[in-house]
């Protein structure tokens, strides 16, 4: 998965002097001691198959030590774990699982720890369920092992919620299993009855098959089909007719009509139609339930930003670890480097004698791609990450009053909105049930008055021939085929209803950082002042950044390697006394001369030119400027082509980012997006982005959002349809409606084309289902169609709908759907 210039474990760019170790008989390079230690442990544990099985690089392990001892506290275990036979059970979340091989490695690694009874790692949801004997092994030991492999754990939404979610999933799986087994048995017995076309089967044998089918069908109808019956009861109590009423009434009528025919020794029974109807629709309902579960990952994404405990200062200056619920306004908390802020508050100091400030990563809250400088008196939000140096904070808002909790409520409120296709299906079902019931009743009364012996049979034939199997399969069959075609394109659809929305989208909004850009800032221009030349300026800056561990260090190292006039590694000047000044930059001495690299006002206070450009780093002595490095995120190579294809499909393309105006404007120019407020907006908070989407929706646009899924959680939930890239964060993939594999933006217009074809197929299926009923219903009402012939017609109608949907699965090698 990695190249020669990248880390063997995580795929990150290697430093100038990477660590090297022999893994499986071959020398490999690593970016840090954490990745090297993880790879060594995997090899020593004989789990090297992980590197063969994985589909993408692992998460970077890093070198920052993390103490999980606080997770062993009794109050935290009581809230987030459950007591089971022989120990405890807890569910944790992690961002590091990126493929099935990651789940395989986690299972093998943790089961080797003493006291571990069961591990269940799910790469789709990012959840890890751990059952362990806490008397033998503390939880912190298991979490430390996870973190050492690059899977940093965080708390889920509470063990009670997790257990309820698992129980609900297991109930649906059991119902589906009962329906599938019962359907196979019922169809087998029904086939024997259907093949007796000459009526030669002895009556005792025929009745035996019918009663066996009755016994097999009963649990399918009343246990597996109970959700539909319960839904029908709710709809009837609410005095409305919906899809559950349609499904349950058809199933119950077929079942009880078959029972009546079994009791009276009639000619035909229709148990097979009832159980197959339940099985097919239960499978479709389970897909809907799964989509809802994946959508809850947006709330999980925000939940991960909450630390397990907070470090609170006592009056005597000592500290204590307390749960977040114990924090109150006015408390003073300490935040270590790399830790999440537990509550909203005001920054007191950052542990630096010269500068009462630090930087906080607010990507989750604002979308800003770089850490934001904060000084004493500034507001710091819960969920942001402390960078550069420790900080002290006076709490002003806790719990539900924090900005993070407000974002959670925004996501949940957006998810509660029912999509238009679901409301339309309910309306169609209500009309269909009402009309069909009236027609069946009218047919029964007419035949009762003219030929009572055939009244029940003819009315039943009307219901069977109009059984909404084809109508019910019109959408699920097309969606299943479309999802298979999307998989061939490298696109994973997480919510079936989103496909129709994508087909109708008229505006697509892109986030900038990590979506249109390649996530790696680069130096695009170097301006020098005075006697310092370009190569010397680059060498000095590289020397300062080289060992800093700052994200921008790779940009300077790559620029130096590409510049032939820059000194080699051995001749590179040596920087001494290098230290980071929070919120400003890096300072150090080179050949006895002090240098600063960072913001204009700090590095070159007197004559910094263009200091308002936040994408530039300045090199100077604190007063005079010597050089300016212009940083820029490079657009993905295929970004311009992808946007051109989207415009050719008639979509309006817009850019909405939390970054500074200059960076957003440069990106818009690079990919040919008009720089007007309707198409490009910078410095957008989540509320601003959501307001922009609502503005376009109120103007009649159907909006698609392409983002990273974490910093844009509310707008992704509020947009009509959302898309994430597979090379982005794992949380982004679980929070979006679609995940584009391989990070190729050209898959998005291909998915749009396929979505539009699937919408046409759905319309064709609906037209056939309705047309079939319009043609077959009069024949059945006239007594020209027997119930068994009606059952055959219903099956053929369903088959035609399915075959039409399968046309979507034909995808050409170039990724475009074939027309047939």
């Amino acid at each position: 998965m990695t190249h020669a210039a990248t880390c063997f474990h995580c795929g990150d760019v290697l430093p100038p002097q990477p660590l090297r170790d022999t893994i499986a008989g071959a020398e490999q390079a690593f970016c840090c001691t954490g990745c090297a230690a993880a790879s060594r442990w995997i090899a020593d544990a004989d789990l090297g198959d992980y590197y063969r099985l994985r589909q993408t690089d692992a998460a970077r392990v890093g070198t920052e030590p993390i103490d999980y001892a606080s997770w062993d506290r009794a109050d935290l275990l009581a809230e987030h774990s459950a007591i089971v036979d022989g120990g405890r059970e807890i569910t944790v979340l992690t961002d590091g699982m990126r493929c099935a091989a990651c789940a395989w490695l986690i299972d093998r690694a943790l089961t080797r720890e003493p006291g571990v009874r069961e591990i269940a790692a799910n790469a789709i949801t990012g959840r890890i369920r751990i059952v362990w004997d806490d008397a033998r092994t503390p939880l912190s030991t298991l979490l430390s092992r996870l973190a050492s492999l690059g899977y940093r754990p965080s708390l889920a939404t509470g063990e009670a919620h997790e257990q309820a979610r698992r129980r609900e999933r297991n109930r649906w799986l059991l119902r589906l299993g009962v329906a599938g087994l019962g359907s196979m048995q019922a169809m087998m017995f029904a086939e024997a009855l259907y093949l007796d076309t000459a009526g030669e089967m002895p009556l005792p044998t025929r009745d035996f098959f019918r009663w066996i089918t009755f016994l097999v069908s009963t649990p399918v109808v009343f246990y597996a089909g109970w959700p539909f019956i319960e839904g029908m009861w709710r709809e009837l109590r609410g005095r409305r007719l919906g899809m559950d009423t349609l499904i349950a009434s058809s199933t119950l009528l077929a079942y009880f009509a078959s029972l009546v025919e079994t009791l009276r020794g009639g000619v035909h029974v229709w148990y097979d139609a009832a159980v197959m109807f339940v099985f097919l629709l239960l499978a479709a309902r389970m897909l809907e339930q799964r989509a809802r579960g994946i959508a809850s990952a947006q709330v999980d994404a925000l939940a991960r930003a909450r630390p397990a405990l907070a470090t609170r200062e006592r009056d005597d200056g000592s500290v204590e670890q307390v749960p977040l619920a114990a924090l109150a306004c006015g408390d003073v908390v300490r935040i270590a480097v790399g830790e999440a802020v537990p509550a909203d508050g005001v920054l007191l100091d950052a542990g630096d004698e010269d500068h009462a400030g630090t930087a906080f990563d607010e990507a989750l809250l604002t979308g800003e791609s770089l850490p934001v400088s904060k000084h004493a008196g500034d507001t710091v939000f819960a969920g942001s990450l402390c960078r550069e140096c420790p900080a002290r904070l006076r709490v002003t808002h806790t719990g539900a009053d924090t900005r993070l909790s407000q974002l959670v409520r925004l996501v949940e409120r957006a998810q509660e909105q029912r999509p238009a296709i679901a409301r339309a299906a309910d309306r169609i079902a209500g009309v269909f049930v009402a009309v069909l019931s009236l027609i069946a009743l009218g047919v029964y009364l007419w035949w009762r008055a003219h030929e009572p012996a055939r009244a029940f049979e003819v009315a039943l034939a009307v219901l069977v021939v109009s059984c909404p199997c084809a109508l019910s399969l019109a959408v699920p069959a097309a969606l299943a085929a479309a999802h298979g075609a999307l998989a061939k394109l490298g696109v994973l659809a997480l919510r079936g209803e989103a496909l129709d929305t994508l087909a109708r989208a008229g505006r697509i909004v892109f986030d900038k950082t990590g979506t249109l850009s390649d996530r790696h800032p680069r130096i695009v221009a170097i301006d020098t002042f005075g006697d310092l030349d370009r190569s010397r300026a680059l060498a000095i800056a590289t020397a300062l950044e080289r060992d800093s561990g700052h994200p921008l260090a790779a940009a300077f190292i790559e620029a130096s390697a590409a510049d032939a006039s820059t000194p080699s590694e051995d001749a590179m000047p040596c920087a001494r006394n290098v230290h980071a000044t929070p919120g400003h930059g890096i300072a150090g001495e080179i050949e006895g001369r002090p240098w600063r690299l960072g913001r204009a006002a700090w590095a070159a206070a007197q004559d910094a030119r263009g200091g308002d450009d936040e994408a530039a780093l300045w090199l100077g002595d604190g007063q005079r400027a010597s050089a300016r490095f212009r940083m820029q995120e490079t657009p993905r190579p295929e970004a311009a082509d992808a946007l051109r294809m989207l415009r050719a499909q008639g979509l309006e393309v817009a850019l909405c980012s939390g970054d500074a105006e200059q960076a957003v404007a440069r990106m818009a120019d690079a990919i040919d997006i008009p720089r007007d407020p309707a198409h490009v907006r910078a410095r957008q908070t989540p509320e601003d982005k959501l307001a922009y989407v609502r503005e376009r929706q109120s103007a009649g646009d159907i909006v698609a959002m392409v983002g990273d899924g974490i910093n844009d959680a509310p707008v992704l939930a509020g947009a009509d349809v959302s898309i994430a890239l597979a090379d982005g964060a794992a949380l982004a993939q679980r929070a979006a409606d679609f995940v584009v594999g391989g990070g190729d933006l050209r898959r998005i217009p291909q998915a749009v084309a396929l979505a539009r074809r699937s919408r046409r197929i759905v319309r064709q299926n609906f037209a056939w289902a309705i047309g079939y009923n319009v043609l077959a219903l009069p024949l059945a009402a006239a007594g020209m169609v027997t119930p068994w012939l009606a059952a055959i017609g219903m099956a053929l109608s369903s088959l035609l709908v399915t075959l039409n949907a399968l046309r979507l699965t034909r995808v050409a090698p170039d990724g475009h759907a074939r027309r047939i």
Side-chain angles (χ1 to χ4, degrees):
M1 299 302 299
T2 58
H3 304 285
T6 58
C7 176
F8 172 70
H9 184 72
C10 71
D12 279 3
V13 178
L14 293 173
Q17 297 180 344
L19 298 174
R20 298 188 180 276
D21 196 359
T22 301
I23 304 296
E27 185 180 74
Q28 306 293 350
F30 300 93
C31 64
C32 63
T33 56
C35 287
S39 188
R40 168 51 54 194
W41 187 91
I42 291 172
D44 293 343
D46 197 23
L47 297 175
D49 284 344
Y50 163 73
Y51 293 109
R52 179 178 58 84
L53 297 172
R54 65 178 180 173
Q55 299 173 341
T56 185
D57 293 316
R60 188 176 188 271
V61 178
T63 58
E64 303 86 355
I66 301 178
D67 185 7
Y68 291 101
S70 59
W71 289 59
D72 297 326
R73 290 171 54 105
D75 51 357
L76 188 143
L77 289 176
E79 180 181 358
H80 294 279
S81 69
I83 298 176
V84 297
D85 293 338
R88 285 185 171 273
E89 177 181 315
I90 191 172
T91 299
V92 297
L93 306 172
T94 180
D95 291 348
M97 273 196 291
R98 298 177 177 177
C99 63
C102 294
W104 177 86
L105 177 62
I106 289 172
D107 180 85
R108 299 302 190 278
L110 291 187
T111 51
R112 295 177 181 233
E113 298 292 334
V116 174
R117 298 179 54 202
E118 183 181 352
I119 298 295
N122 191 320
I124 299 296
T125 62
R127 285 177 163 85
I128 306 172
R129 185 168 62 89
I130 305 172
V131 181
W132 86 106
D133 184 356
D134 56 334
R136 295 183 58 191
T137 302
L139 179 61
S140 58
T141 300
L142 306 180
L143 301 184
S144 296
R145 171 59 63 201
L146 278 176
S148 69
L149 296 175
Y151 307 105
R152 293 194 177 185
S154 56
L155 288 175
T157 52
E159 188 58 29
H161 175 79
E162 290 296 322
Q163 287 185 339
R165 188 184 63 84
R166 285 196 295 271
R167 284 195 299 268
E168 181 68 14
R169 181 197 61 188
N170 292 338
R171 276 196 297 268
W172 278 90
L173 286 175
L174 183 58
R175 293 184 197 277
L176 184 64
V178 170
L181 183 61
S183 298
M184 288 189 292
Q185 297 298 320
M187 291 298 293
M188 181 178 66
F189 294 129
E191 184 180 4
L193 295 173
Y194 285 142
L195 291 177
D196 182 30
T197 57
E200 298 175 351
M201 181 181 293
L203 291 180
T205 304
R206 185 200 68 178
D207 291 342
F208 172 76
F209 277 128
R210 288 184 175 183
W211 282 111
I212 288 294
T213 309
F214 164 76
L215 294 176
V216 169
S217 302
T218 299
V220 176
V221 172
F222 292 102
Y223 173 71
W226 181 253
F228 304 117
I229 298 174
E230 187 179 33
M232 179 183 69
W233 176 245
R234 286 195 302 266
E235 290 174 354
L236 293 178
R237 288 184 61 186
R239 297 182 180 180
R240 61 186 179 88
L241 298 176
M243 188 63 74
D244 282 343
T245 301
L246 185 68
I247 295 169
S249 61
S250 300
T251 302
L252 292 176
L253 284 171
Y255 173 82
F256 284 112
S258 299
L259 179 58
V260 170
E261 289 294 285
T262 301
L263 292 171
R264 59 181 282 204
V267 179
H268 295 288
V269 292
W270 304 274
Y271 293 115
D272 55 323
V275 296
M276 285 302 296
F277 196 39
V278 170
F279 174 66
L280 292 173
L281 292 173
L282 194 65
R285 185 65 60 89
M286 275 205 67
L287 292 176
E288 178 186 351
Q289 294 291 336
R290 179 177 177 272
R292 291 179 183 176
I294 294 175
S296 68
Q298 293 183 347
V299 178
D300 288 342
L302 297 171
R304 295 176 201 226
R306 297 186 176 97
L309 298 167
T311 304
R312 183 172 63 184
E313 286 189 3
R314 296 191 180 99
D315 294 337
D316 60 0
S318 60
V319 297
E320 60 178 340
Q321 294 279 320
V322 298
L324 298 189
L327 288 179
C329 294
D331 287 347
V332 176
V333 297
R334 295 185 183 180
I335 307 151
V337 175
E339 285 187 351
V341 178
D344 291 354
V346 176
L347 186 65
L348 298 178
D349 60 67
D352 189 292
E353 296 180 356
D354 299 324
H355 300 90
T358 185
F360 288 85
D361 185 349
E362 297 181 347
L364 178 67
L365 304 172
T366 66
E368 186 72 33
S369 58
L370 298 176
V372 178
S373 176
K374 298 284 185 177
H375 302 276
D378 289 345
T379 299
V380 180
F381 298 110
S384 55
L385 297 177
C386 181
R387 301 297 189 192
E388 297 181 346
C389 68
R392 295 172 67 245
L393 184 79
R394 185 176 301 281
V395 175
T396 57
H397 297 89
T398 63
D401 295 330
T402 64
R403 181 179 176 86
L404 184 63
S405 296
Q406 294 170 5
L407 285 179
V408 171
R409 288 195 293 273
L410 277 174
V411 173
E412 291 175 341
R413 191 178 305 121
Q415 288 179 345
E416 289 171 358
Q417 298 178 355
R418 284 179 56 78
I421 190 172
R423 296 192 295 270
D426 286 345
R427 289 194 298 270
I428 293 173
V431 174
F432 189 90
V433 171
V435 172
L436 181 60
S437 300
L438 292 174
I439 291 175
L441 179 60
V443 168
Y444 177 80
L445 294 175
W446 192 93
W447 280 93
R448 184 72 177 175
H450 294 81
E451 193 174 343
R454 295 194 62 195
F456 181 80
E457 178 183 286
V458 174
L460 183 59
V462 170
L463 290 174
V464 172
V465 81
S466 302
C467 185
C469 282
L471 182 64
S472 300
L473 287 173
V475 174
L479 290 181
H483 290 174
L486 285 172
K488 294 180 181 179
L489 291 175
V491 179
L492 176 64
L494 304 181
R495 185 168 63 90
E497 294 175 343
L499 196 65
D500 180 72
T501 310
L502 182 63
R504 295 182 292 111
R507 178 177 292 265
I508 185 165
V509 182
F510 285 87
D511 183 36
K512 180 181 72 69
T513 303
T515 303
L516 292 172
S517 70
D518 60 2
R519 289 187 176 87
H520 299 293
R522 290 177 173 82
I523 299 174
V524 295
I526 302 177
D527 303 320
T528 58
F529 314 107
D531 297 334
L532 196 66
D533 61 25
R534 182 183 185 278
S535 299
R536 178 63 176 170
L538 183 58
I540 293 173
T542 303
L544 292 172
E545 287 277 5
R546 181 170 47 191
D547 299 319
S548 68
H550 195 277
L552 293 174
F556 284 93
I557 293 172
E558 291 178 2
S560 297
D563 190 349
S565 59
T566 302
S568 63
E569 178 68 23
D570 296 335
M572 187 70 68
C574 180
R576 301 181 182 276
N577 301 324
V578 177
H579 62 279
T581 302
H584 297 286
I586 295 176
E589 294 182 4
I590 297 179
E591 299 175 357
R593 180 178 176 181
W595 291 97
R596 291 184 178 184
L597 178 66
R599 294 184 179 274
W602 177 75
Q606 289 188 7
D607 59 354
R609 301 171 177 83
D612 60 335
D613 187 353
E614 297 185 12
L617 293 180
W618 291 74
L619 177 67
D621 58 7
Q623 299 298 322
R624 311 295 301 185
S626 297
R628 176 176 57 192
F629 301 90
R630 295 187 182 274
M631 313 299 297
Q632 181 177 331
E633 290 178 310
T634 304
R636 291 175 181 264
E638 78 284 356
D641 289 340
L643 268 59
R644 193 178 303 112
M645 294 167 66
L646 289 169
R647 292 191 191 95
Q649 293 173 332
L651 280 86
E652 288 286 336
V653 179
L655 173 59
C656 199
S657 173
D659 273 357
E661 293 183 3
Q662 295 89 344
V664 176
R666 280 193 292 268
M667 179 62 69
D669 292 339
I671 56 179
D672 196 25
I673 297 180
R675 289 170 55 180
D676 58 76
H679 294 86
V680 176
R681 295 196 179 186
R683 293 194 176 280
Q684 299 289 287
T685 64
E687 293 85 353
D688 293 334
K689 293 180 180 180
L690 185 58
Y692 172 74
V693 169
R694 296 297 189 212
E695 173 189 330
R696 301 314 310 171
Q697 289 172 333
S698 63
D701 288 345
I702 296 177
V703 181
M705 180 71 194
V706 185
D708 59 16
I710 300 177
N711 57 340
D712 295 320
V715 69
L716 283 168
D720 297 290
V721 61
S722 56
I723 304 170
L725 304 182
D727 59 357
L731 284 173
Q733 302 168 23
R734 291 187 291 274
D737 297 323
F738 295 93
V739 175
V740 179
D744 192 336
L745 293 176
R746 287 171 296 192
R747 299 302 185 194
I748 296 177
Q750 293 172 0
V752 171
L754 183 61
R756 292 177 176 177
R757 289 195 67 235
S758 68
R759 190 163 187 254
R760 289 195 295 270
I761 293 292
V762 167
R763 288 179 174 178
Q764 292 170 5
N765 285 350
F766 270 124
W768 166 252
I770 295 173
Y772 161 77
N773 285 332
V774 169
L775 292 175
L777 190 59
L779 297 177
M784 301 173 65
V785 178
T786 60
W788 67 268
L789 186 59
I792 294 177
M794 177 193 66
L796 290 176
S797 176
S798 301
L799 179 62
L800 183 61
V801 165
T802 303
L803 292 177
N804 187 43
L806 289 176
R807 295 167 54 206
L808 289 169
T809 62
R810 298 178 62 86
V811 179
D814 61 357
H816 292 85
R818 292 193 184 103
R819 289 191 173 275
I820 59 174

